């Protein structure tokens, strides 16, 4: 590869890393919002439980609370899986960037050696 191609590849990988990290950061905000919503729903259902002891509404609220808990766990498992994938994408991009940087250094070193050989022959 040429130097310009390697430099372009390095820049592209760095840009990809920034984009993925931004998505990871955005997912943290989404997770916090989701936690807040689940806590609000849970508080409402707990209040319904408190005021409806012994009625059908209590049983319905308990079922809804159980369902909410299951949905919450599933949502956070999904987010965690997504965050792991984002982390792996960052790692892959960093490896590709590092490889391109190594290739660029090797190419520069080779060019320097060729220049020194050429200067030595003169």
């Amino acid at each position: 590869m040429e130097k310009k191609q390697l430099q372009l590849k390095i820049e592209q990988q760095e840009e990809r890393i920034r984009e993925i990290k931004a998505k990871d950061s955005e997912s943290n905000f989404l997770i916090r919002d989701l936690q807040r919503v689940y806590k609000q729903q849970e508080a409402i259902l707990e209040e319904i439980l408190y005021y409806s002891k012994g009625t059908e509404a209590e049983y319905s609220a308990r079922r809804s609370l159980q369902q909410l808990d299951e949905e919450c766990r599933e949502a956070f498992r999904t987010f965690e899986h997504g965050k792991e994938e984002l982390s792996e994408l960052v790692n892959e991009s960093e490896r590709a960037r590092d490889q391109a940087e190594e290739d660029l250094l090797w190419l520069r070193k080779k060019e320097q050696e060729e220049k020194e050989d050429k200067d030595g022959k003169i």
Side-chain angles (χ1 to χ4, degrees), residues 4-18:
K4 287 183 181 183
Q5 288 175 319
L6 289 170
Q7 289 170 332
L8 180 61
K9 185 174 182 177
I10 291 168
E11 291 170 10
Q12 289 172 337
Q13 292 303 323
E14 287 175 347
E15 178 63 25
R16 186 168 188 226
I17 291 167
R18 281 191 293 277

Side-chain angles (χ1 to χ4, degrees), residues 8-64:
L8 180 61
K9 185 174 182 177
I10 291 168
E11 291 170 10
Q12 289 172 337
Q13 292 303 323
E14 287 175 347
E15 178 63 25
R16 186 168 188 226
I17 291 167
R18 281 191 293 277
E19 289 172 359
I20 294 169
K21 286 183 176 181
K23 288 179 183 181
D24 185 51
S25 180
E26 184 180 326
S27 73
N28 290 334
F29 290 115
L30 292 172
I31 290 170
R32 282 194 289 274
D33 284 347
L34 187 60
Q35 286 173 327
R36 184 181 47 77
V37 168
Y38 278 125
K39 286 188 186 298
Q40 288 173 342
Q41 288 179 329
E42 183 180 34
I44 291 168
L45 289 170
E46 292 289 345
E47 194 166 334
I48 291 171
L49 284 174
Y50 178 78
Y51 289 110
S52 63
K53 292 206 183 301
T55 66
E56 181 60 35
E58 176 189 14
Y59 303 116
S60 177
R62 285 197 190 284
R63 284 191 300 272
S64 294

